[in-house]
Short mmCIF file of all heavy atoms in Angstrom, two decimals:
data_model
loop_
_atom_site.label_atom_id
_atom_site.label_comp_id
_atom_site.label_asym_id
_atom_site.label_seq_id
_atom_site.Cartn_x
_atom_site.Cartn_y
_atom_site.Cartn_z
N ILE A 85 8.50 -8.29 13.66
CA ILE A 85 8.89 -7.56 12.44
C ILE A 85 8.82 -8.52 11.26
O ILE A 85 9.57 -9.50 11.19
CB ILE A 85 10.32 -6.99 12.57
CG1 ILE A 85 10.39 -6.02 13.75
CG2 ILE A 85 10.74 -6.30 11.28
CD1 ILE A 85 11.80 -5.50 14.05
N GLU A 86 7.89 -8.27 10.35
CA GLU A 86 7.69 -9.14 9.19
C GLU A 86 7.97 -8.35 7.92
O GLU A 86 7.54 -7.19 7.79
CB GLU A 86 6.26 -9.67 9.14
CG GLU A 86 5.94 -10.69 10.23
CD GLU A 86 6.46 -12.08 9.90
OE1 GLU A 86 6.90 -12.30 8.76
OE2 GLU A 86 6.41 -12.95 10.80
N THR A 87 8.65 -8.97 6.98
CA THR A 87 8.99 -8.32 5.71
C THR A 87 8.36 -9.07 4.55
O THR A 87 8.45 -10.29 4.46
CB THR A 87 10.51 -8.27 5.51
OG1 THR A 87 11.11 -7.66 6.66
CG2 THR A 87 10.87 -7.47 4.27
N VAL A 88 7.70 -8.31 3.68
CA VAL A 88 7.19 -8.86 2.43
C VAL A 88 8.10 -8.35 1.33
O VAL A 88 8.02 -7.18 0.92
CB VAL A 88 5.73 -8.44 2.17
CG1 VAL A 88 5.24 -8.99 0.83
CG2 VAL A 88 4.82 -8.93 3.30
N TYR A 89 9.02 -9.20 0.87
CA TYR A 89 9.99 -8.79 -0.13
C TYR A 89 9.35 -8.75 -1.51
O TYR A 89 8.28 -9.32 -1.74
CB TYR A 89 11.19 -9.74 -0.13
CG TYR A 89 12.04 -9.62 1.11
CD1 TYR A 89 11.98 -10.60 2.10
CD2 TYR A 89 12.87 -8.52 1.30
CE1 TYR A 89 12.76 -10.49 3.25
CE2 TYR A 89 13.65 -8.41 2.44
CZ TYR A 89 13.60 -9.39 3.41
OH TYR A 89 14.35 -9.29 4.54
N GLN A 90 10.05 -8.11 -2.42
CA GLN A 90 9.54 -7.96 -3.77
C GLN A 90 9.29 -9.32 -4.43
O GLN A 90 8.34 -9.49 -5.17
CB GLN A 90 10.51 -7.14 -4.62
CG GLN A 90 9.95 -6.70 -5.96
CD GLN A 90 10.86 -5.71 -6.64
OE1 GLN A 90 11.82 -5.21 -6.05
NE2 GLN A 90 10.57 -5.39 -7.88
N ASP A 91 10.14 -10.32 -4.11
CA ASP A 91 9.92 -11.65 -4.68
C ASP A 91 8.96 -12.49 -3.84
O ASP A 91 8.69 -13.65 -4.15
CB ASP A 91 11.25 -12.39 -4.85
CG ASP A 91 11.99 -12.58 -3.53
OD1 ASP A 91 11.39 -12.34 -2.46
OD2 ASP A 91 13.16 -12.98 -3.56
N LEU A 92 8.45 -11.88 -2.74
CA LEU A 92 7.38 -12.43 -1.91
C LEU A 92 7.73 -13.67 -1.09
O LEU A 92 7.03 -14.01 -0.16
CB LEU A 92 6.15 -12.76 -2.76
CG LEU A 92 5.53 -11.58 -3.50
CD1 LEU A 92 4.35 -12.05 -4.32
CD2 LEU A 92 5.13 -10.48 -2.55
N ALA A 93 8.81 -14.36 -1.42
CA ALA A 93 9.20 -15.57 -0.69
C ALA A 93 8.07 -16.60 -0.67
O ALA A 93 7.89 -17.33 0.30
CB ALA A 93 9.63 -15.24 0.73
N LEU A 94 7.29 -16.65 -1.76
CA LEU A 94 6.25 -17.66 -1.91
C LEU A 94 6.76 -18.75 -2.85
O LEU A 94 7.54 -18.50 -3.74
CB LEU A 94 4.97 -17.05 -2.48
CG LEU A 94 4.30 -15.94 -1.64
CD1 LEU A 94 3.06 -15.45 -2.34
CD2 LEU A 94 3.97 -16.43 -0.24
N ILE A 95 6.26 -19.96 -2.64
CA ILE A 95 6.66 -21.10 -3.47
C ILE A 95 5.51 -21.38 -4.45
O ILE A 95 4.45 -21.86 -4.03
CB ILE A 95 6.96 -22.33 -2.61
CG1 ILE A 95 8.10 -21.99 -1.62
CG2 ILE A 95 7.35 -23.52 -3.47
CD1 ILE A 95 8.39 -23.07 -0.61
N PRO A 96 5.69 -21.09 -5.73
CA PRO A 96 4.59 -21.14 -6.69
C PRO A 96 3.86 -22.47 -6.78
O PRO A 96 2.63 -22.48 -6.96
CB PRO A 96 5.29 -20.81 -8.03
CG PRO A 96 6.48 -20.01 -7.64
CD PRO A 96 6.94 -20.60 -6.34
N LEU A 97 4.56 -23.58 -6.67
CA LEU A 97 3.92 -24.88 -6.85
C LEU A 97 3.20 -25.39 -5.60
O LEU A 97 2.48 -26.38 -5.66
CB LEU A 97 4.95 -25.92 -7.32
CG LEU A 97 5.58 -25.63 -8.69
CD1 LEU A 97 6.55 -26.73 -9.07
CD2 LEU A 97 4.50 -25.48 -9.77
N MET A 98 3.39 -24.69 -4.49
CA MET A 98 2.69 -25.07 -3.27
C MET A 98 1.38 -24.32 -3.18
O MET A 98 1.17 -23.28 -3.80
CB MET A 98 3.57 -24.79 -2.04
CG MET A 98 4.75 -25.73 -1.91
SD MET A 98 5.81 -25.35 -0.48
CE MET A 98 4.68 -25.61 0.87
N SER A 99 0.45 -24.85 -2.39
CA SER A 99 -0.88 -24.25 -2.27
C SER A 99 -0.82 -22.93 -1.51
O SER A 99 0.17 -22.60 -0.84
CB SER A 99 -1.82 -25.21 -1.54
OG SER A 99 -1.45 -25.30 -0.15
N ILE A 100 -1.91 -22.19 -1.62
CA ILE A 100 -2.04 -20.93 -0.86
C ILE A 100 -1.88 -21.22 0.63
O ILE A 100 -1.15 -20.52 1.34
CB ILE A 100 -3.41 -20.28 -1.14
CG1 ILE A 100 -3.50 -19.84 -2.60
CG2 ILE A 100 -3.65 -19.10 -0.20
CD1 ILE A 100 -4.89 -19.42 -3.04
N THR A 101 -2.56 -22.25 1.10
CA THR A 101 -2.48 -22.59 2.52
C THR A 101 -1.06 -22.93 2.95
O THR A 101 -0.58 -22.43 3.99
CB THR A 101 -3.40 -23.78 2.84
OG1 THR A 101 -4.75 -23.41 2.63
CG2 THR A 101 -3.23 -24.24 4.29
N ARG A 102 -0.37 -23.77 2.18
CA ARG A 102 0.98 -24.17 2.58
C ARG A 102 1.92 -22.97 2.57
O ARG A 102 2.82 -22.86 3.43
CB ARG A 102 1.50 -25.26 1.64
CG ARG A 102 0.79 -26.59 1.78
CD ARG A 102 0.87 -27.17 3.19
NE ARG A 102 2.23 -27.37 3.64
CZ ARG A 102 2.95 -28.47 3.40
NH1 ARG A 102 2.40 -29.47 2.70
NH2 ARG A 102 4.17 -28.58 3.85
N ASN A 103 1.73 -22.04 1.64
CA ASN A 103 2.52 -20.81 1.65
C ASN A 103 2.16 -19.94 2.84
O ASN A 103 3.03 -19.33 3.47
CB ASN A 103 2.31 -20.03 0.35
CG ASN A 103 3.24 -20.47 -0.75
OD1 ASN A 103 4.41 -20.11 -0.79
ND2 ASN A 103 2.72 -21.29 -1.66
N PHE A 104 0.90 -19.89 3.17
CA PHE A 104 0.43 -19.08 4.29
C PHE A 104 1.06 -19.55 5.60
O PHE A 104 1.47 -18.74 6.44
CB PHE A 104 -1.10 -19.16 4.38
CG PHE A 104 -1.73 -18.14 5.28
CD1 PHE A 104 -2.13 -16.91 4.78
CD2 PHE A 104 -1.95 -18.41 6.62
CE1 PHE A 104 -2.72 -15.97 5.61
CE2 PHE A 104 -2.54 -17.47 7.45
CZ PHE A 104 -2.93 -16.23 6.94
N PHE A 105 1.18 -20.85 5.77
CA PHE A 105 1.69 -21.43 7.01
C PHE A 105 3.15 -21.87 6.91
O PHE A 105 3.63 -22.58 7.79
CB PHE A 105 0.84 -22.64 7.42
CG PHE A 105 -0.46 -22.28 8.08
CD1 PHE A 105 -1.61 -22.14 7.33
CD2 PHE A 105 -0.53 -22.05 9.44
CE1 PHE A 105 -2.81 -21.81 7.93
CE2 PHE A 105 -1.72 -21.71 10.06
CZ PHE A 105 -2.87 -21.59 9.29
N LEU A 106 3.85 -21.46 5.86
CA LEU A 106 5.21 -21.93 5.63
C LEU A 106 6.08 -21.71 6.86
O LEU A 106 6.28 -20.58 7.32
CB LEU A 106 5.81 -21.19 4.43
CG LEU A 106 7.05 -21.82 3.78
CD1 LEU A 106 6.72 -23.21 3.27
CD2 LEU A 106 7.54 -20.94 2.65
N GLY A 107 6.60 -22.81 7.41
CA GLY A 107 7.42 -22.72 8.61
C GLY A 107 6.63 -22.67 9.90
O GLY A 107 7.20 -22.69 10.99
N ARG A 108 5.27 -22.63 9.78
CA ARG A 108 4.42 -22.55 10.97
C ARG A 108 3.27 -23.58 10.86
O ARG A 108 2.16 -23.35 11.36
CB ARG A 108 3.82 -21.15 11.11
CG ARG A 108 4.84 -20.02 11.31
CD ARG A 108 4.07 -18.73 11.47
NE ARG A 108 4.88 -17.60 11.87
CZ ARG A 108 5.25 -16.62 11.05
NH1 ARG A 108 4.91 -16.65 9.78
NH2 ARG A 108 5.96 -15.60 11.51
N GLU A 109 3.51 -24.67 10.21
CA GLU A 109 2.45 -25.65 9.95
C GLU A 109 1.81 -26.16 11.25
O GLU A 109 2.49 -26.36 12.26
CB GLU A 109 3.03 -26.84 9.16
CG GLU A 109 3.40 -26.51 7.72
CD GLU A 109 4.75 -25.83 7.57
OE1 GLU A 109 5.45 -25.65 8.60
OE2 GLU A 109 5.11 -25.49 6.42
N LEU A 110 0.49 -26.36 11.17
CA LEU A 110 -0.24 -26.94 12.30
C LEU A 110 -0.22 -28.46 12.15
O LEU A 110 -0.49 -29.00 11.07
CB LEU A 110 -1.69 -26.44 12.29
CG LEU A 110 -1.90 -24.93 12.34
CD1 LEU A 110 -3.40 -24.61 12.34
CD2 LEU A 110 -1.23 -24.33 13.58
N VAL A 111 0.10 -29.14 13.23
CA VAL A 111 0.19 -30.60 13.17
C VAL A 111 -0.58 -31.21 14.34
O VAL A 111 -0.85 -30.56 15.35
CB VAL A 111 1.66 -31.08 13.22
CG1 VAL A 111 2.43 -30.58 12.03
CG2 VAL A 111 2.33 -30.64 14.53
N HIS A 112 -1.00 -32.44 14.16
CA HIS A 112 -1.57 -33.20 15.26
C HIS A 112 -0.92 -34.59 15.26
O HIS A 112 -0.45 -35.07 14.23
CB HIS A 112 -3.09 -33.31 15.16
CG HIS A 112 -3.58 -33.94 13.91
ND1 HIS A 112 -3.85 -33.22 12.77
CD2 HIS A 112 -3.85 -35.24 13.60
CE1 HIS A 112 -4.27 -34.04 11.82
NE2 HIS A 112 -4.26 -35.27 12.29
N LYS A 113 -0.91 -35.21 16.42
CA LYS A 113 -0.23 -36.50 16.56
C LYS A 113 -1.19 -37.65 16.28
O LYS A 113 -2.34 -37.65 16.74
CB LYS A 113 0.34 -36.65 17.97
CG LYS A 113 1.57 -35.77 18.23
CD LYS A 113 2.20 -36.09 19.58
CE LYS A 113 3.48 -35.29 19.79
NZ LYS A 113 4.12 -35.62 21.09
N VAL A 114 -0.71 -38.58 15.52
CA VAL A 114 -1.41 -39.84 15.30
C VAL A 114 -0.43 -40.94 15.66
O VAL A 114 0.47 -41.30 14.89
CB VAL A 114 -1.87 -39.98 13.83
CG1 VAL A 114 -2.56 -41.34 13.64
CG2 VAL A 114 -2.80 -38.85 13.45
N GLY A 115 -0.58 -41.45 16.88
CA GLY A 115 0.40 -42.42 17.38
C GLY A 115 1.76 -41.73 17.47
O GLY A 115 1.89 -40.63 18.01
N PRO A 116 2.78 -42.34 16.90
CA PRO A 116 4.13 -41.75 16.96
C PRO A 116 4.36 -40.71 15.86
O PRO A 116 5.43 -40.11 15.81
CB PRO A 116 5.04 -42.95 16.76
CG PRO A 116 4.24 -43.87 15.88
CD PRO A 116 2.80 -43.68 16.30
N PHE A 117 3.36 -40.48 15.02
CA PHE A 117 3.55 -39.61 13.87
C PHE A 117 2.94 -38.22 14.09
O PHE A 117 1.95 -38.07 14.82
CB PHE A 117 2.93 -40.24 12.61
CG PHE A 117 3.46 -41.59 12.29
CD1 PHE A 117 2.69 -42.72 12.55
CD2 PHE A 117 4.73 -41.75 11.74
CE1 PHE A 117 3.18 -43.99 12.27
CE2 PHE A 117 5.22 -43.01 11.45
CZ PHE A 117 4.45 -44.13 11.72
N ARG A 118 3.53 -37.24 13.45
CA ARG A 118 2.99 -35.87 13.47
C ARG A 118 2.46 -35.58 12.06
O ARG A 118 3.22 -35.55 11.10
CB ARG A 118 4.09 -34.87 13.84
CG ARG A 118 4.56 -35.04 15.28
CD ARG A 118 5.83 -34.25 15.57
NE ARG A 118 5.64 -32.82 15.41
CZ ARG A 118 5.18 -32.03 16.38
NH1 ARG A 118 4.87 -32.54 17.56
NH2 ARG A 118 5.05 -30.73 16.17
N ILE A 119 1.16 -35.36 11.97
CA ILE A 119 0.49 -35.18 10.69
C ILE A 119 0.04 -33.73 10.55
O ILE A 119 -0.52 -33.14 11.47
CB ILE A 119 -0.74 -36.11 10.58
CG1 ILE A 119 -0.36 -37.56 10.89
CG2 ILE A 119 -1.38 -35.98 9.20
CD1 ILE A 119 0.66 -38.14 9.94
N ILE A 120 0.30 -33.16 9.37
CA ILE A 120 -0.15 -31.79 9.10
C ILE A 120 -1.67 -31.73 9.10
O ILE A 120 -2.34 -32.55 8.44
CB ILE A 120 0.42 -31.29 7.76
CG1 ILE A 120 1.93 -31.08 7.87
CG2 ILE A 120 -0.27 -30.01 7.32
CD1 ILE A 120 2.59 -30.64 6.59
N ASN A 121 -2.22 -30.79 9.83
CA ASN A 121 -3.68 -30.61 9.91
C ASN A 121 -4.13 -29.71 8.76
O ASN A 121 -4.36 -28.51 8.93
CB ASN A 121 -4.06 -30.01 11.27
CG ASN A 121 -5.54 -30.11 11.53
OD1 ASN A 121 -6.36 -30.16 10.60
ND2 ASN A 121 -5.91 -30.13 12.80
N GLN A 122 -4.23 -30.32 7.58
CA GLN A 122 -4.53 -29.56 6.37
C GLN A 122 -5.89 -28.88 6.43
O GLN A 122 -6.05 -27.72 6.02
CB GLN A 122 -4.47 -30.48 5.15
CG GLN A 122 -4.58 -29.75 3.82
CD GLN A 122 -3.37 -28.86 3.55
OE1 GLN A 122 -2.24 -29.28 3.77
NE2 GLN A 122 -3.61 -27.65 3.08
N ARG A 123 -6.90 -29.57 6.92
CA ARG A 123 -8.24 -29.00 6.95
C ARG A 123 -8.31 -27.74 7.81
O ARG A 123 -8.89 -26.74 7.41
CB ARG A 123 -9.23 -30.04 7.47
CG ARG A 123 -10.67 -29.55 7.52
CD ARG A 123 -11.62 -30.63 7.99
NE ARG A 123 -11.65 -31.75 7.05
CZ ARG A 123 -12.40 -32.84 7.22
NH1 ARG A 123 -13.15 -32.95 8.31
NH2 ARG A 123 -12.37 -33.81 6.34
N LYS A 124 -7.69 -27.80 8.96
CA LYS A 124 -7.71 -26.64 9.86
C LYS A 124 -6.93 -25.48 9.26
O LYS A 124 -7.36 -24.31 9.33
CB LYS A 124 -7.12 -27.02 11.22
CG LYS A 124 -7.21 -25.89 12.25
CD LYS A 124 -6.74 -26.38 13.63
CE LYS A 124 -6.88 -25.27 14.67
NZ LYS A 124 -6.43 -25.75 16.01
N MET A 125 -5.78 -25.77 8.63
CA MET A 125 -4.99 -24.71 8.01
C MET A 125 -5.75 -24.07 6.85
O MET A 125 -5.70 -22.86 6.66
CB MET A 125 -3.64 -25.26 7.55
CG MET A 125 -2.70 -25.65 8.68
SD MET A 125 -0.97 -25.88 8.16
CE MET A 125 -1.13 -27.07 6.84
N ASP A 126 -6.48 -24.89 6.05
CA ASP A 126 -7.27 -24.34 4.95
C ASP A 126 -8.31 -23.35 5.48
O ASP A 126 -8.50 -22.26 4.92
CB ASP A 126 -7.98 -25.47 4.19
CG ASP A 126 -7.05 -26.24 3.26
OD1 ASP A 126 -5.97 -25.72 2.94
OD2 ASP A 126 -7.42 -27.36 2.86
N LYS A 127 -9.00 -23.72 6.55
CA LYS A 127 -10.04 -22.86 7.11
C LYS A 127 -9.46 -21.55 7.63
O LYS A 127 -10.01 -20.46 7.39
CB LYS A 127 -10.78 -23.59 8.24
CG LYS A 127 -11.68 -24.71 7.77
CD LYS A 127 -12.40 -25.35 8.95
CE LYS A 127 -13.35 -26.45 8.48
NZ LYS A 127 -14.05 -27.09 9.63
N ILE A 128 -8.34 -21.65 8.33
CA ILE A 128 -7.72 -20.45 8.91
C ILE A 128 -7.21 -19.53 7.81
O ILE A 128 -7.42 -18.30 7.87
CB ILE A 128 -6.58 -20.84 9.86
CG1 ILE A 128 -7.15 -21.53 11.10
CG2 ILE A 128 -5.76 -19.60 10.27
CD1 ILE A 128 -6.08 -22.11 12.03
N ALA A 129 -6.54 -20.08 6.80
CA ALA A 129 -6.00 -19.25 5.72
C ALA A 129 -7.11 -18.54 4.97
O ALA A 129 -7.02 -17.34 4.70
CB ALA A 129 -5.18 -20.12 4.77
N ALA A 130 -8.17 -19.27 4.63
CA ALA A 130 -9.28 -18.67 3.90
C ALA A 130 -9.94 -17.56 4.72
O ALA A 130 -10.25 -16.48 4.20
CB ALA A 130 -10.30 -19.74 3.52
N ARG A 131 -10.14 -17.82 6.03
CA ARG A 131 -10.78 -16.83 6.88
C ARG A 131 -9.91 -15.60 7.05
O ARG A 131 -10.40 -14.45 6.97
CB ARG A 131 -11.10 -17.43 8.25
CG ARG A 131 -11.84 -16.45 9.17
CD ARG A 131 -12.25 -17.09 10.48
NE ARG A 131 -11.11 -17.44 11.30
CZ ARG A 131 -10.77 -18.69 11.62
NH1 ARG A 131 -11.47 -19.71 11.17
NH2 ARG A 131 -9.72 -18.93 12.39
N ALA A 132 -8.61 -15.80 7.26
CA ALA A 132 -7.70 -14.67 7.47
C ALA A 132 -7.65 -13.77 6.23
O ALA A 132 -7.63 -12.54 6.35
CB ALA A 132 -6.30 -15.18 7.81
N LEU A 133 -7.62 -14.37 5.05
CA LEU A 133 -7.58 -13.58 3.83
C LEU A 133 -8.92 -12.89 3.59
O LEU A 133 -8.97 -11.73 3.15
CB LEU A 133 -7.21 -14.47 2.64
CG LEU A 133 -5.79 -15.03 2.66
CD1 LEU A 133 -5.58 -16.03 1.54
CD2 LEU A 133 -4.77 -13.90 2.56
N ARG A 134 -10.00 -13.59 3.88
CA ARG A 134 -11.33 -12.99 3.72
C ARG A 134 -11.51 -11.78 4.62
O ARG A 134 -12.15 -10.79 4.24
CB ARG A 134 -12.39 -14.06 4.01
CG ARG A 134 -13.81 -13.65 3.63
CD ARG A 134 -14.74 -14.86 3.63
NE ARG A 134 -14.72 -15.57 4.91
CZ ARG A 134 -14.26 -16.80 5.08
NH1 ARG A 134 -13.75 -17.47 4.06
NH2 ARG A 134 -14.29 -17.37 6.27
N GLU A 135 -10.93 -11.82 5.82
CA GLU A 135 -11.07 -10.72 6.78
C GLU A 135 -10.43 -9.42 6.29
O GLU A 135 -10.79 -8.34 6.73
CB GLU A 135 -10.49 -11.12 8.13
CG GLU A 135 -11.37 -12.09 8.90
CD GLU A 135 -10.73 -12.54 10.20
OE1 GLU A 135 -9.55 -12.20 10.45
OE2 GLU A 135 -11.40 -13.25 10.97
#
Side-chain angles (χ1 to χ4, degrees):
I85 300 174
E86 290 281 350
T87 306
V88 178
Y89 291 105
Q90 191 170 350
D91 60 11
L92 300 179
L94 299 180
I95 301 173
L97 297 181
M98 289 178 63
S99 70
I100 294 169
T101 294
R102 291 301 302 274
N103 273 282
F104 193 90
F105 281 93
L106 197 60
R108 298 182 171 105
E109 290 81 3
L110 303 180
V111 298
H112 58 271
K113 288 187 176 181
V114 178
F117 303 104
R118 294 168 62 86
I119 308 298
I120 290 178
N121 193 334
Q122 188 67 44
R123 181 178 296 180
K124 185 174 182 180
M125 291 195 306
D126 283 342
K127 288 182 178 179
I128 291 173
R131 183 175 66 245
L133 293 173
R134 191 166 56 246
E135 285 176 354

